[in-house]
Each structure stands twice: as C-alpha cells, then as structure tokens.
Amino acid sequence: IVPSSVQKIGADAFSPEIKEIVCTSSTPFHANVIYYSTYNKTFSGQITCSERYFNSLRQAYPQVQLISAEKTEMESLAQKGDIVSMVKLAKMYDDAKRGYDALKYYKKAANQGDVESMLVIAKKYRYGDGMGVYQNTGMSIKWYEQAANASRDSETARTVACLYNSINNYSSAYSWFLTAADWGDDISTFYLGLYNQNGYGRKKDYAAAVSWYKKTLNQASDSIPTSTYWNMGLIYEYGGYGVNKDPG
C-alpha cells in the first residue's frame, strides 16, 4: 500500500524505474524522492509518511535505494573508520540486493581487520552473489587466506586448501592442509594422507600417508572419513613407497 502523500508525487514515481528514496529524518519520515521517468528524465519530489509505510516501500521496491537518517549517520561514522557502521551499511546494501555496493563496505571493514567481513567477501567471490559480484576463485582464495591468517581458524585454512585443490594447485593445497592440521583440523590429516598416498604435488610416500591416516584415526571426532581404513588397507596390501607389504 502506497500512502496518498506518496501518490501525489506522480503516477510513475514508484514504477520499476525509480532510482532512490532519500529519508532525511526519522518520525514522521520526510523524504526526498529521486526517480526516472519513462523518457529517462530525472524528477524529484517530497513525501511524508510513517515509518510503517517507509518500511512497506522498502519491501515493495527492493531495487530502490532507501536512504534513512540512520544510514546517513552510519556513512559519517564509516568515513571515520567505525567498523560496526561499515558492516551495517554493507548488510543494508545486501538487503537491498545491491551486492557491489555491499562489497565496497565489506572491503572497508575487512581492510580494518574485520574477519567476518573477510569471510563474507570470500564467500561472495566463491559462489557469486547474484547481485553484481561474480564468481572468482582467485579472489575467493585471497580473502579466505587473509581471514585464515588473521584468525588462525583451522576450518578456514582447510577451505583455502580445498580451493587450491579445486584448481589443481596441489603444492599450495598441501601447504594449507598442513597449516589446518597444525591448527587442529581433524579432516586435514586425512587429506595429507591422501596427498602422500597418491603423490598429489609431491612424490608418493606411503610411510607418510600411513602416519597421517593414523593421526586421523586417533582423533576423537565423528567426522573421520570411512575411506581412511580402506586407503590404509590398500597401502599395506601392495606395499612400497616406504611401507612393507603386509596383506594381513
């Protein structure tokens, strides 16, 4: 429902071609409206509506930039280096389906050391967000690496390793699996065994593979891959690469 005060601006004011609604104060909402007509001419007008109507407009026109007094204040704080405001602005733009603008503020927060923003950026590049940010594995790896180094989080380190593995960069993948295992990630010990067993990015080393598989099995974790037993069985069945054959 669009309030009558809004309708007075013009019949096409709230068409899909509307550009933005700028709310300059709180209650009641006094807002400047800037929109494009079908002839691509810019028009503007004034509206006064309640917070309820303002929020209904936000839901009805998600492609429209709704700029409240709160957003203006957050922008001012963000310019002064306030990370909380940067993240709030980024989430506001995400909610408005403006992924590229959201990315800008997430990067500002990330560059100030905010790990959660680094992870959001990494995920956006990993999968694409459907809102202007396209899939880019290289950029995703960059931001996951930054987040991992800042947080020393083992699962994030494993994610970096898996992404390197996905682009067949086995040397970098192995290095990050080592880091993840060193930081306490149980699953990475399995991958280290797998890499040594199959010679991914390195020479085959069954002795090292068995050592890593044993570490996997010694973990008090429910996430142990069942293929750990099978792989060790194959190594002992055929032997070689530092391990004596032992079919029993």
Side-chain angles (χ1 to χ4, degrees), residues 83-155:
I83 295 175
V84 174
S85 296
M86 294 173 189
V87 174
K88 284 184 177 180
L89 284 165
K91 290 180 178 178
M92 183 180 293
Y93 279 122
D94 259 344
D95 290 342
K97 309 298 182 186
R98 295 177 58 172
Y100 190 80
D101 290 318
L103 182 67
K104 179 178 72 174
Y105 279 101
Y106 280 127
K107 283 184 176 180
K108 287 179 181 290
N111 289 333
Q112 293 288 333
D114 186 65
V115 174
E116 289 304 316
S117 291
M118 296 175 195
L119 291 172
V120 171
I121 296 167
K123 188 175 181 180
K124 279 178 175 287
Y125 280 124
R126 185 178 185 181
Y127 302 108
D129 67 358
M131 300 183 295
V133 180
Y134 298 98
Q135 187 177 15
N136 186 322
T137 301
M139 290 296 291
S140 181
I141 289 173
K142 170 190 171 182
W143 285 101
Y144 273 122
E145 281 185 331
Q146 192 167 328
N149 286 323
S151 65
R152 295 180 65 84
D153 179 71
S154 62
E155 289 190 18

Side-chain angles (χ1 to χ4, degrees), residues 32-174:
N32 298 315
V33 180
I34 304 173
Y35 61 94
Y36 289 121
S37 73
T38 55
Y39 300 102
N40 204 30
K41 294 181 179 179
T42 303
F43 293 86
S44 63
Q46 296 285 329
I47 64 170
T48 300
C49 61
S50 67
E51 183 175 0
R52 175 187 172 191
Y53 279 130
F54 185 76
N55 289 332
S56 71
L57 291 175
R58 187 191 300 273
Q59 294 175 2
Y61 301 95
Q63 80 279 14
V64 175
Q65 183 181 5
L66 298 169
I67 307 176
S68 66
E70 179 188 12
K71 177 177 179 295
T72 303
E73 181 180 0
M74 283 192 293
E75 285 181 331
S76 177
L77 291 171
Q79 288 178 355
K80 296 175 183 177
D82 183 68
I83 295 175
V84 174
S85 296
M86 294 173 189
V87 174
K88 284 184 177 180
L89 284 165
K91 290 180 178 178
M92 183 180 293
Y93 279 122
D94 259 344
D95 290 342
K97 309 298 182 186
R98 295 177 58 172
Y100 190 80
D101 290 318
L103 182 67
K104 179 178 72 174
Y105 279 101
Y106 280 127
K107 283 184 176 180
K108 287 179 181 290
N111 289 333
Q112 293 288 333
D114 186 65
V115 174
E116 289 304 316
S117 291
M118 296 175 195
L119 291 172
V120 171
I121 296 167
K123 188 175 181 180
K124 279 178 175 287
Y125 280 124
R126 185 178 185 181
Y127 302 108
D129 67 358
M131 300 183 295
V133 180
Y134 298 98
Q135 187 177 15
N136 186 322
T137 301
M139 290 296 291
S140 181
I141 289 173
K142 170 190 171 182
W143 285 101
Y144 273 122
E145 281 185 331
Q146 192 167 328
N149 286 323
S151 65
R152 295 180 65 84
D153 179 71
S154 62
E155 289 190 18
T156 304
R158 179 180 10 117
T159 299
V160 175
C162 289
L163 284 171
Y164 273 123
N165 180 79
S166 73
I167 59 174
N168 300 325
N169 186 337
Y170 298 129
S171 177
S172 294
Y174 189 84

